[in-house]
Amino acid sequence: MKLLTYCILLAISLFLSACDFAGLNNPYAEVEGRRAVLYQSFSERPKHLDPAVAYSENEYAFIAQIYEPPFQYHYLKRPYQLVPLTASKMPDVRCLNEQGETLGQIEKVQSCTFTDYLIEIQAKIYYQPHPALAKNEDGDYLYHHLSGAQIQPLNTLGDFSNVGSRELTADDYVYQIKRLAHPKVQSPIAEIMKNYIVGFDDFSKQVGNKPKTAIKNLSLAGVEVINRYQYRIRIKGKYPQFIYWLAMPFFSPMPWEADVFYDQPGLNDKNITLDWFPIGTGAYFLAENNPNRRMILLKNPNFHQETYPAEGEPEDKTSGLLTDAGKSLPFIDKVVFMLEKETIPYWTKFMQGYYDASGIASDSFDQAIQFTGSGGIALTDSMKEKGIQLQTAVETSSFYLGFNMLDSTVGGITEQARKLRQAIAIAIDQEEFIAIFMNGRGVAAQGVLPPGIFGFADDKTGINPYVYDWQNGRVQRKKIEAARQLMTEAGFANGIDPKTKEPLILYFDTTATSVDDRPRMSWYRKQFAKLGIELVIRATDYNRFQEKMRAGNAQIFGWGWNADYPDPENFFFLLYGPNAKVKFGGENAGNYQNPEFDQLFEQMRNMENSKQRYQIIQQMQEIVRHDAPWVFGLHPKQFSLFHGWYKNLKANLMANNELKYRRIDTVARAEKRQQWNKPVVWPLVLGGVLFVLMLVPAVRAYHQRSVAKPQSR
């Protein structure tokens, strides 16, 4: 029996010593210990990492940490305020006449033929280490003339044995603007910039089919290098919003060496491109790009001096947002983005502490959020127990149902068509849509502008009086009877089309083709049915839908817009007549045109924010509410969850480079992870004991045979 006991104890000890219980639940192969590592996720690989081309949210999540335009949004101040980033100060902006003579500071002059932006950047800012900048002892670039044999063994940027860096110069910003104009780059803002930057269109035609590297020695009339640290941009007329473009990645610097390096034949076949491996001066660089598993940002060892803001809004100090004031950025050394296509495993890992932040999917909403009796929202008790923080913010986005104003039934500015559109706007219950399909994460729109944009009114004066009433100090949607009365006045009593004596048939063009979209489409049918209208859903793929919009063949459609910059011009231009999609190929998807609105837009667009500009905006809102070219839909409300160890969190809907301000309390995170992920060991131990006990008969039989075996002579 001693042998049996020994075997059992030995088996159990071996079993236990072989198991590293501490790492059973950890999804990360490497042990980070207490390093300042942030764990995030992504669900779709970024298509472009070239700042001249990238223009989507999932792409900006990466490139905004890597590239640095001359200006950025202050992290804490509201309303949103631009401040220098690589620039040494805000630009010197001057108004010029047709002869190029300076008329004075832009804010003191009513009209300009040209506007000059003189930008001065800081000295001693350096690019991240990169093989495109590597040189030998003679000062020659090591990797600008690679042979096919040299390229053959390369698979990633890390396969280059040498890297280099150099100082950022004004020429790098000028070079990037030239890249925006090159047809081969296909920048999505090229058509817009042709309307503003002097000589941009001519330069684009001049470079034509020339290699991208050819632009280095070509001149663009509206962009000029003054000296090593200064450059000038000249635009047509007066366009105050241009300063906002200078805070977007499009206007980040690009070293000419990058194009020379990446344009070498053979590297594209290896996926060694600027779209895959960016090069910037920002707080982070992309160390690993494996979109089928993970993407990793590391702290740029060459990052210039930048400190956490020392001022913000009054409440920022009490909420702890100024604790790190004056400290060097960034605080986080490494950012790991893990691919997560499914929401359930992502949510589980967040609850275990393996992700530091999370959104809230619909199937997890009730687990995280509860509604209070007053209609407010709060975290559930289980979330509070874990010290999880909730942050909400109404996004600077607008989603709407648009009418094609060229359509013979719903379009035009006749009284009949206007009342039909107003009736539909009342019938479509946006509050119900938000409650059913968005878990309450949205705000019903009252006009063109979302909250946070100058000109938005959040009191009684800001409601849409054609759809809502102001009752007992709050907004109340008009009763459906009001909509039915409008239908009668429009000549469609009870929804009957007088031409056919049948229910009026309207067509909703959409890209909602999946099974998951069916409940939403069914809901829309029910909304129109309140008025006796039969809604026919015409679902097509995205390309076909775009063709129909360009040709003006859609009747009713869903559309949306995210703010490029925090100015009302960026929303009202969606209804400006000369931007009509069918006639001019612009962003006015519904082809709305009202001479009075257009005149006010032209007056408002280039004004500085003032009481006069505010009043003009209210006039424009009234015109659009009355004409109803849109059924004003909603402004999404962002719900974000953060663990208690994640610090310096403040929603900034304009800035995308927020990671450098964030901080992780690694000690608190390690303690919570250990507490929340203690493995239940006893079932494994019990299983091991039972397994050993199953061996007892065999061990005993073996022992008996050994005793009974006759001794050899």
Side-chain angles (χ1 to χ4, degrees):
M1 293 300 295
K2 289 183 179 181
L3 176 62
L4 177 61
T5 303
Y6 175 77
C7 289
I8 293 174
L9 293 175
L10 178 63
I12 293 174
S13 64
L14 288 173
F15 173 77
L16 292 174
S17 63
C19 295
D20 179 12
F21 291 117
L24 282 178
N25 294 322
N26 197 328
Y28 311 116
E30 55 186 296
V31 179
E32 297 292 353
R34 306 228 166 155
R35 289 184 61 195
V37 181
L38 173 66
Y39 296 95
Q40 298 203 155
S41 71
F42 69 102
S43 58
E44 182 182 3
R45 87 164 182 88
K47 186 177 180 181
H48 298 291
L49 295 178
D50 180 345
V53 185
Y55 203 12
S56 66
E57 187 176 353
N58 71 322
E59 293 165 344
Y60 276 21
F62 294 95
I63 68 171
Q65 325 311 323
I66 298 167
Y67 290 103
E68 294 185 302
F71 307 103
Q72 65 180 341
Y73 291 94
H74 194 285
Y75 183 57
L76 300 178
K77 289 184 178 180
R78 304 292 182 272
Y80 294 109
Q81 178 180 325
L82 285 177
V83 294
L85 178 49
T86 60
S88 59
K89 59 183 180 180
M90 294 305 290
D92 182 9
V93 185
R94 294 190 174 273
C95 188
L96 292 82
N97 61 20
E98 192 171 353
Q99 290 72 42
E101 299 169 335
T102 302
L103 299 177
Q105 296 291 339
I106 190 73
E107 61 272 9
K108 298 179 181 179
V109 181
Q110 289 296 319
S111 63
C112 310
T113 303
F114 303 107
T115 302
D116 272 3
Y117 288 79
L118 182 62
I119 302 165
E120 180 178 286
I121 64 171
Q122 302 173 49
K124 297 182 180 179
I125 294 179
Y126 291 87
Y127 284 100
Q128 67 178 70
H130 195 282
L133 303 176
K135 293 182 178 181
N136 59 24
E137 294 179 355
D138 296 326
D140 298 322
Y141 289 99
L142 287 172
Y143 304 119
H144 284 198
H145 303 284
L146 296 173
S147 65
Q150 289 174 309
I151 291 176
Q152 195 278 328
L154 302 174
N155 293 299
T156 181
L157 210 64
D159 291 336
F160 291 88
S161 55
N162 293 283
V163 293
S165 181
R166 69 162 173 83
E167 188 182 24
L168 172 69
T169 67
D171 186 65
D172 298 327
Y173 283 99
V174 171
Y175 183 80
Q176 171 68 353
I177 297 173
K178 293 177 183 178
R179 294 182 77 245
L180 297 177
H182 201 302
K184 288 187 176 180
V185 174
Q186 296 184 331
S187 174
I189 68 164
E191 290 300 316
I192 299 173
M193 289 303 115
K194 285 178 182 179
N195 299 323
Y196 293 109
I197 298 177
V198 173
F200 192 95
D201 192 20
D202 292 336
F203 184 85
S204 180
K205 294 173 182 176
Q206 178 188 359
V207 295
N209 292 321
K210 293 180 181 179
K212 284 182 280 186
T213 52
I215 63 177
K216 181 178 184 296
N217 298 315
L218 297 176
S219 296
L220 198 168
V223 188
E224 178 187 7
V225 175
I226 305 299
N227 57 47
R228 185 173 180 83
Y229 302 115
Q230 287 184 318
Y231 66 104
R232 174 187 59 79
I233 303 175
R234 177 167 294 179
I235 66 170
K236 304 169 187 176
K238 186 178 181 181
Y239 179 47
Q241 293 81 13
F242 185 73
I243 186 67
Y244 295 120
W245 287 99
L246 298 178
M248 297 178 71
F250 293 114
F251 287 87
S252 300
M254 181 61 64
W256 63 268
E257 295 94 334
D259 274 338
V260 172
F261 173 78
Y262 284 120
D263 281 2
Q264 295 177 91
L267 288 183
N268 186 65
D269 297 336
K270 300 280 188 174
N271 231 7
I272 301 178
T273 67
L274 191 58
D275 259 339
W276 202 263
F277 295 107
I279 172 174
T281 61
Y284 296 95
F285 71 94
L286 187 62
E288 181 179 331
N289 187 351
N290 181 3
N292 293 320
R293 180 170 175 254
R294 68 180 185 181
M295 299 177 72
I296 295 178
L297 295 175
L298 291 180
K299 183 177 178 179
N300 179 4
N302 296 337
F303 187 55
H304 56 90
Q305 178 64 23
E306 185 180 3
T307 57
Y308 189 87
E311 56 183 353
E313 294 183 285
E315 62 271 22
D316 289 342
K317 186 172 183 179
T318 56
S319 61
L321 283 168
L322 290 174
T323 301
D324 291 320
K327 295 181 181 178
S328 294
L329 302 176
F331 300 116
I332 293 169
D333 299 320
K334 181 179 182 179
V335 187
V336 179
F337 293 85
M338 301 295 293
L339 178 65
E340 294 285 0
K341 293 185 176 181
E342 304 295 333
T343 58
I344 293 177
Y346 168 73
W347 176 255
T348 301
K349 291 171 189 174
F350 170 71
M351 295 300 292
Q352 291 177 300
Y354 291 122
Y355 283 125
D356 300 302
S358 175
I360 311 176
S362 296
D363 50 12
S364 304
F365 192 83
D366 292 339
Q367 185 181 346
I369 303 297
Q370 59 184 345
F371 291 94
T372 62
S374 60
I377 56 169
L379 287 169
T380 59
D381 292 339
S382 62
M383 296 290 110
K384 293 176 183 177
E385 289 172 6
K386 283 181 170 286
I388 290 173
Q389 310 164 68
L390 171 65
Q391 189 177 91
T392 65
V394 179
E395 298 180 18
T396 49
S397 305
S398 288
F399 290 87
Y400 60 89
L401 218 62
F403 297 102
N404 180 5
M405 298 298 282
L406 303 178
D407 184 78
S408 59
T409 302
V410 299
I413 57 173
T414 64
E415 196 66 15
Q416 180 188 35
R418 183 183 293 119
K419 289 185 175 182
L420 172 61
R421 295 192 297 267
Q422 290 175 351
I424 293 171
I426 295 171
I428 299 179
D429 191 338
Q430 300 295 341
E431 290 79 8
E432 182 180 276
F433 182 93
I434 293 168
I436 295 175
F437 298 103
M438 301 183 68
N439 297 110
R441 288 176 284 185
V443 176
Q446 300 292 330
V448 179
L449 302 180
I453 301 297
F454 180 80
F456 174 82
D458 59 357
D459 56 10
K460 181 180 179 180
T461 64
I463 72 166
N464 181 356
Y466 303 97
V467 177
Y468 291 89
D469 293 319
W470 185 265
Q471 296 180 349
N472 301 320
R474 59 183 297 181
V475 174
Q476 184 71 43
R477 180 174 290 273
K478 290 181 182 292
K479 302 295 184 182
I480 193 64
E481 287 74 22
R484 289 169 180 158
Q485 177 60 35
L486 286 169
M487 288 289 290
T488 300
E489 294 173 10
F492 300 102
N494 299 316
I496 301 300
D497 186 343
K499 297 177 183 177
T500 64
K501 311 302 181 184
E502 299 287 339
L504 176 64
I505 298 175
L506 297 179
Y507 298 92
F508 181 29
D509 291 277
T510 176
T511 58
T513 58
S514 72
V515 174
D516 294 337
D517 292 320
R518 289 177 183 173
R520 190 157 47 93
M521 295 301 104
S522 177
W523 182 86
Y524 275 119
R525 290 192 190 95
K526 291 177 182 177
Q527 304 305 299
F528 280 79
K530 295 176 188 175
L531 304 175
I533 298 172
E534 181 181 338
L535 184 67
V536 176
I537 306 296
R538 298 193 296 200
T540 57
D541 62 63
Y542 182 75
N543 291 334
R544 175 61 182 147
F545 174 76
Q546 290 286 2
E547 289 175 9
K548 294 177 78 170
M549 294 298 295
R550 284 191 291 267
N553 292 330
Q555 189 176 56
I556 302 172
F557 57 91
W559 210 265
W561 187 259
N562 298 317
D564 286 316
Y565 43 83
D567 191 89
E569 179 265 350
N570 193 232
F571 285 89
F572 281 119
F573 90 114
L574 299 171
L575 290 163
Y576 181 48
N579 284 341
K581 185 168 287 293
V582 171
K583 190 173 181 180
F584 303 105
E587 294 293 343
N588 181 350
N591 306 292
Y592 172 67
Q593 189 162 13
N594 180 307
E596 184 183 1
F597 177 89
D598 291 347
Q599 184 179 3
L600 289 170
F601 176 80
E602 290 165 1
Q603 183 182 353
M604 179 279 303
R605 68 188 306 177
N606 293 332
M607 294 177 68
E608 303 290 337
N609 288 342
S610 62
K611 185 176 181 180
Q612 182 186 6
R613 193 184 197 212
Y614 182 88
Q615 293 302 325
I616 293 173
I617 289 170
Q618 304 318 308
Q619 289 179 255
M620 296 171 70
Q621 291 272 47
E622 166 59 23
I623 291 170
V624 177
R625 287 166 180 156
H626 178 254
D627 285 350
W630 293 355
V631 173
F632 299 115
L634 59 92
H635 311 299
K637 195 170 185 179
Q638 185 183 89
F639 279 47
S640 302
L641 298 176
F642 303 94
H643 283 294
W645 58 72
Y646 201 4
K647 307 295 183 180
N648 297 337
L649 301 167
K650 185 171 183 176
N652 192 318
L653 301 173
M654 287 294 109
N656 295 287
N657 60 347
E658 71 279 2
L659 290 185
K660 64 185 176 183
Y661 303 105
R662 306 287 176 82
R663 179 168 57 82
I664 296 289
D665 183 342
T666 56
V667 174
R669 180 172 64 183
E671 291 174 353
K672 290 296 184 181
R673 280 183 178 178
Q674 187 175 19
Q675 177 185 334
W676 296 340
N677 297 286
K678 288 181 180 179
V680 181
V681 179
W682 68 262
L684 298 176
V685 175
L686 179 61
V689 171
L690 292 175
F691 175 75
V692 173
L693 290 177
M694 290 172 62
L695 297 177
V696 169
V699 173
R700 183 174 294 163
Y702 174 78
H703 177 70
Q704 290 174 348
R705 285 197 300 271
S706 298
V707 172
K709 186 177 180 180
Q711 301 293 321
S712 59
R713 294 181 181 178

